[in-house]
């Protein structure tokens, strides 16, 4: 039944392009408001940046700090605008000169560590300002990446509690109330993904639970569509998903989409079917290596164990407006191993998948 997913992708290419163009025209300049909204401007295509923006926090100074550092790569792509890069760093430095505004969102017990990160950021920005004088792109990008990793830690320290109640009807499924990092070893090299329970707790919880069970170890990638998807998770035998040994039944996972500006996900309906054509998911299909659930085309609540990496190609499925957003659940992003993912094909194999961080955020259902 998952062949429907393949045929839908193939047959939708023209529709994706046409609808994207149409929506791009009628929505030009539209920016959603509210919680977890991405900044206006060019669509973000970096998975790590998308994960930062998806954090359920509300601290304007740290977001401005992040935006300043994220912007450096844009300026380097745009004919290496060194003046603009320096301005970004100056703005970041000014924000860090008022650490109390950032620390105001950090719980008291975490503030000493947060202050240490702020000190490290100030030092790192000063060092990067000297590197910019050399006008060497790679060292600048490397320095920026280190600074943004510190910003990620600082932002994550601001999350005080899980931000919403998951509907009781899904209490029989594992839930990830936070984030987890998964190391995936393949026959061609290693991948690292971060899955986001703040945006898709049921979907991410199901995946982390299956990783813990060793479900994906030894599984082949069963489908490779160039510039579209690389899919895995189909177990050997007649089954197409995970059979829970406790119940003997197929574990079905609902479609789960958190929309920008909303506090909790929508379940069991695509944004298209809900008539929400202009709404955007907090976790969009705009990054190479977006990790999403495959499902039967006719059953929005029929996902189980099969997942796919989206092989983002901006000319075919432009970021910001495409028919995948709101139709399938993105629940994480590739953070390391892009060159490996680009080499993988059908019949390549996952040798092992391991939770290396965040297992404490996995909440198992209570026994019936």
């Amino acid at each position: 039944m998952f062949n429907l997913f393949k045929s839908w992708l193939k047959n939708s290419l023209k529709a994706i392009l046409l609808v994207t163009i149409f929506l791009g025209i009628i929505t030009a300049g539209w920016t959603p408001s509210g919680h977890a909204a991405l900044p206006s401007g060019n669509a973000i295509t970096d998975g790590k940046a998308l994960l930062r923006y998806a954090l359920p926090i509300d601290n304007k100074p740290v977001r401005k700090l992040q935006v300043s550092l994220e912007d450096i790569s844009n300026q380097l792509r745009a004919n290496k605008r060194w003046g603009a890069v320096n301005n970004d760093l100056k703005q970041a430095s000014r924000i860090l000169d008022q650490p109390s505004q950032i620390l105001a969102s950090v719980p008291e017990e975490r503030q000493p560590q947060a202050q240490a990160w702020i000190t490290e950021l100030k030092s790192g920005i000063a060092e990067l300002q000297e590197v910019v004088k050399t006008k060497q792109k790679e060292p600048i990008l490397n320095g920026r990446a280190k600074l943004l990793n510190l910003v990620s830690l600082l932002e994550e320290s601001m999350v005080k509690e899980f931000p919403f109640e998951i509907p009781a009807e899904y209490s029989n499924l594992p839930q990830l109330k936070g984030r987890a990092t998964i190391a995936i070893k393949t026959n061609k090299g290693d991948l690292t993904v971060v899955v986001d329970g703040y945006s898709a707790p049921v979907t991410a919880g199901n995946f982390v639970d299956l990783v813990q069970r060793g479900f994906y170890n030894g599984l082949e990638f069963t489908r490779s569509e160039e510039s579209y998807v690389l899919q895995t998770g189909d177990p050997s035998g007649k089954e197409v998903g995970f059979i829970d040994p406790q119940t003997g039944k197929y574990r079905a996972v609902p479609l789960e989409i958190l929309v920008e500006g909303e506090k909790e996900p929508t379940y069991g309906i695509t944004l298209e079917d809900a008539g929400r054509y202009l709404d955007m998911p907090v976790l969009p299909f705009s990054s190479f290596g977006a990790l999403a659930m495959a499902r039967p085309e006719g059953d929005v609540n029929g996902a189980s164990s099969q997942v796919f990496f989206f092989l983002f190609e901006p000319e075919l499925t432009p970021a910001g407006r495409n028919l995948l957003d709101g139709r399938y659940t993105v629940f994480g992003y590739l953070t390391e191993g892009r060159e490996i993912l680009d080499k993988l094909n059908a019949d390549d194999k996952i040798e092992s998948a391991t939770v290396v961080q965040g297992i404490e955020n996995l909440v198992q259902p209570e026994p019936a």
Side-chain angles (χ1 to χ4, degrees), residues 116-188:
W117 287 327
I118 289 173
T119 301
E120 193 172 349
L121 277 163
K122 286 181 64 67
S123 173
I125 286 172
E127 291 175 5
L128 189 55
Q129 286 174 319
E130 293 300 312
V131 175
V132 170
K133 294 177 181 178
T134 69
K135 297 185 178 181
Q136 296 182 47
K137 182 177 178 180
E138 287 306 313
I140 295 171
L141 288 175
N142 291 336
R144 166 188 172 273
K146 292 178 181 178
L147 292 174
L148 281 169
N149 286 339
L150 290 170
V151 171
S152 293
L153 293 171
L154 193 56
E155 291 176 340
E156 287 167 4
S157 74
M158 295 179 179
V159 182
K160 298 178 177 67
E161 58 187 11
F162 193 74
F164 56 86
E165 288 291 328
I166 300 169
E169 63 189 286
Y170 305 121
S171 61
N172 63 317
L173 297 171
Q175 300 170 2
L176 188 69
K177 294 192 172 181
R179 288 183 171 171
T181 302
I182 314 296
I184 301 173
K185 293 185 178 296
T186 77
N187 60 301
K188 286 185 176 176

Side-chain angles (χ1 to χ4, degrees), residues 326-364:
R327 188 182 285 261
Y328 294 89
T329 301
V330 174
F331 63 96
Y333 293 98
L334 180 80
T335 57
E336 303 291 341
R338 179 189 174 103
E339 69 287 352
I340 301 300
L341 182 58
D342 205 27
K343 296 176 183 177
L344 291 168
N345 294 294
D347 299 328
D348 283 320
K349 182 179 291 188
I350 294 177
E351 295 177 351
S352 67
T354 309
V355 183
V356 294
Q357 187 174 339
I359 190 60
E360 70 277 4
N361 296 323
L362 180 64
V363 179
Q364 293 287 1

Side-chain angles (χ1 to χ4, degrees), residues 225-274:
E225 296 284 335
E226 185 178 357
S227 300
Y228 279 103
V229 299
L230 179 71
Q231 187 167 323
T232 188
D234 185 5
S236 59
K238 65 178 182 179
E239 303 297 344
V240 294
F242 174 65
I243 305 301
D244 191 326
Q246 291 187 335
T247 65
K249 296 180 180 179
Y250 178 93
R251 181 195 284 174
V253 179
L255 181 69
E256 185 177 37
I257 307 290
L258 178 62
V259 172
E260 288 181 0
E262 297 193 350
K263 294 183 178 180
E264 58 188 57
T266 294
Y267 291 89
I269 187 170
T270 67
L271 297 186
E272 179 185 12
D273 288 342

Side-chain angles (χ1 to χ4, degrees), residues 1-245:
M1 61 179 167
F2 286 91
N3 284 333
L4 292 172
F5 172 70
K6 176 183 178 181
S7 62
W8 178 83
L9 280 175
K10 252 184 175 177
N11 295 334
S12 294
L13 173 58
K14 290 183 179 179
I16 288 171
L17 293 173
L18 292 173
V19 172
T20 300
I21 292 170
F22 172 71
L23 288 176
I25 293 171
I26 67 173
T27 62
W30 175 81
T31 303
S33 61
H35 185 63
L38 299 178
S40 58
N42 294 332
I44 298 170
T45 59
D46 176 55
K48 290 183 179 180
L50 288 165
L51 286 165
R52 280 188 282 270
Y53 284 118
L55 283 168
I57 63 173
D58 185 18
N59 182 284
K60 291 182 180 179
V62 82
R63 287 304 195 195
K64 288 180 180 178
L65 172 65
Q66 180 189 337
V67 168
S68 296
L69 296 175
E70 302 277 12
D71 186 60
I72 290 173
S73 65
N74 297 330
Q75 302 304 337
L76 291 179
R77 284 195 299 268
N79 298 319
K80 300 180 182 178
R81 297 172 177 169
W82 305 112
V85 172
N86 276 310
N87 288 337
D88 283 333
L89 290 171
K90 288 177 182 177
Q91 177 169 305
S93 183
R94 286 194 296 269
I95 294 167
L96 292 169
D97 284 338
Q98 297 180 319
S100 61
Q101 295 184 7
I102 295 175
L103 292 172
S105 296
V106 179
E108 186 175 355
E109 66 275 12
R110 302 176 190 169
Q111 288 193 8
Q113 177 61 76
Q115 180 63 69
W117 287 327
I118 289 173
T119 301
E120 193 172 349
L121 277 163
K122 286 181 64 67
S123 173
I125 286 172
E127 291 175 5
L128 189 55
Q129 286 174 319
E130 293 300 312
V131 175
V132 170
K133 294 177 181 178
T134 69
K135 297 185 178 181
Q136 296 182 47
K137 182 177 178 180
E138 287 306 313
I140 295 171
L141 288 175
N142 291 336
R144 166 188 172 273
K146 292 178 181 178
L147 292 174
L148 281 169
N149 286 339
L150 290 170
V151 171
S152 293
L153 293 171
L154 193 56
E155 291 176 340
E156 287 167 4
S157 74
M158 295 179 179
V159 182
K160 298 178 177 67
E161 58 187 11
F162 193 74
F164 56 86
E165 288 291 328
I166 300 169
E169 63 189 286
Y170 305 121
S171 61
N172 63 317
L173 297 171
Q175 300 170 2
L176 188 69
K177 294 192 172 181
R179 288 183 171 171
T181 302
I182 314 296
I184 301 173
K185 293 185 178 296
T186 77
N187 60 301
K188 286 185 176 176
D190 298 343
L191 310 173
T192 302
V193 299
V194 172
V195 295
D196 183 20
Y198 294 123
S199 301
V202 177
T203 312
N206 171 69
F207 181 74
V208 172
D209 174 66
L210 293 181
V211 169
Q212 275 293 96
R213 292 171 181 267
F215 179 87
Y216 294 99
N217 297 348
L219 289 189
E220 292 184 347
F221 292 97
T222 53
R223 182 165 299 126
S224 176
E225 296 284 335
E226 185 178 357
S227 300
Y228 279 103
V229 299
L230 179 71
Q231 187 167 323
T232 188
D234 185 5
S236 59
K238 65 178 182 179
E239 303 297 344
V240 294
F242 174 65
I243 305 301
D244 191 326

